């Protein structure tokens, strides 16, 4: 995890901010699935006042990729100068045009920010939302992603798991699967100096 040398002040401020935050209102309609969802503006609005009152801010950067995907990194900053990176979220692009990339980027920014600050969507009638649960148990897929020995194995497990979650429009599972894949990918791409040292003993 990338962060400043200390995040004590940031952690304290974030704890206060999270105590004051409300859920992101689901005020945007998805006519295809006949449902409502909390868009990026709703997530930003849900955290704006609490972040400002506690000296917090965030930035989101787009990372380069050779694949048909968008990669977004969310960082939380504190007025003390402390910061923490919440990792990179990579999402596949459905259409290889400006609209497809723009849609995927907005989607990635929304889910990355919501996950980073701990905001959950709530119904627009003001009632507290019941905690959403995945429509299927993807624990075995998450465990398989975490244990994938090679990039090829990782990609194969990810495709199977993501396709299953996508078929049921289980956005929570899709996000968890993508984050697990990205975490394992970063690990597999690291130089394996530890293995070299062990072999030389």
């Amino acid at each position: 995890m990338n962060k400043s040398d200390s995040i004590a002040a940031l952690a304290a401020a974030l704890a206060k901010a999270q105590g004051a935050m409300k859920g992101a209102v689901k005020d945007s309609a998805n006519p295809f699935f006949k449902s409502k969802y909390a868009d990026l503006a709703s997530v930003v609005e849900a955290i704006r006042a609490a972040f400002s009152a506690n000296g917090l801010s965030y930035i989101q950067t787009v990372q380069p990729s050779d694949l048909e995907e968008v990669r977004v990194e969310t960082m939380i900053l504190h007025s003390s100068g402390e910061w923490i990176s919440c990792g990179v979220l990579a999402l596949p692009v459905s259409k290889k045009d400006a609209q497809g990339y723009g849609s995927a980027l907005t989607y990635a920014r929304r889910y990355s920010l919501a996950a980073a600050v701990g905001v959950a969507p709530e119904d627009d009638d003001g009632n507290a939302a019941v905690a959403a649960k995945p429509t299927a148990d993807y624990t075995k897929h998450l465990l398989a992603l975490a244990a994938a020995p090679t990039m090829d194995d990782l990609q194969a497990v990810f495709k199977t798991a993501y396709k299953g979650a996508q078929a049921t429009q289980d956005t929570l599972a899709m996000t968890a699967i993508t984050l697990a894949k990205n975490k394992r990918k970063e690990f597999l791409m690291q130089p394996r100096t530890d293995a070299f040292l062990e072999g030389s003993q």
Side-chain angles (χ1 to χ4, degrees), residues 3-16 54 56 78-84:
K3 60 182 181 61
S4 55
D5 291 337
S6 171
I7 58 170
L10 185 154
L14 185 58
K16 292 180 181 179
N54 290 280
L56 294 167
H78 186 248
S79 55
S80 64
E82 295 177 354
W83 58 273
I84 184 171

Side-chain angles (χ1 to χ4, degrees), residues 23-110:
V25 176
K26 294 192 287 187
D27 55 3
S28 294
N30 185 330
F32 185 78
F33 293 106
K34 297 180 180 179
S35 61
K36 287 190 174 183
Y37 65 94
D39 61 12
L40 177 60
S42 293
V43 175
V44 171
E45 188 60 30
I47 72 171
R48 188 192 306 277
F51 260 47
S52 178
N54 290 280
L56 294 167
S57 60
Y58 73 91
I59 58 173
Q60 292 183 295
T61 57
V62 180
Q63 304 294 323
S65 175
D66 295 329
L67 305 176
E68 294 172 7
E69 63 180 10
V70 294
R71 294 169 55 85
V72 172
E73 180 181 18
T74 297
M75 295 179 64
I76 299 177
L77 316 174
H78 186 248
S79 55
S80 64
E82 295 177 354
W83 58 273
I84 184 171
S85 168
C86 301
V88 176
L89 174 62
L91 289 180
V93 176
S94 58
K95 294 192 301 181
K96 291 182 280 187
D97 57 17
Q99 182 180 4
Y101 276 90
S103 177
L105 177 58
T106 300
Y107 191 95
R109 288 184 60 199
R110 171 162 57 102

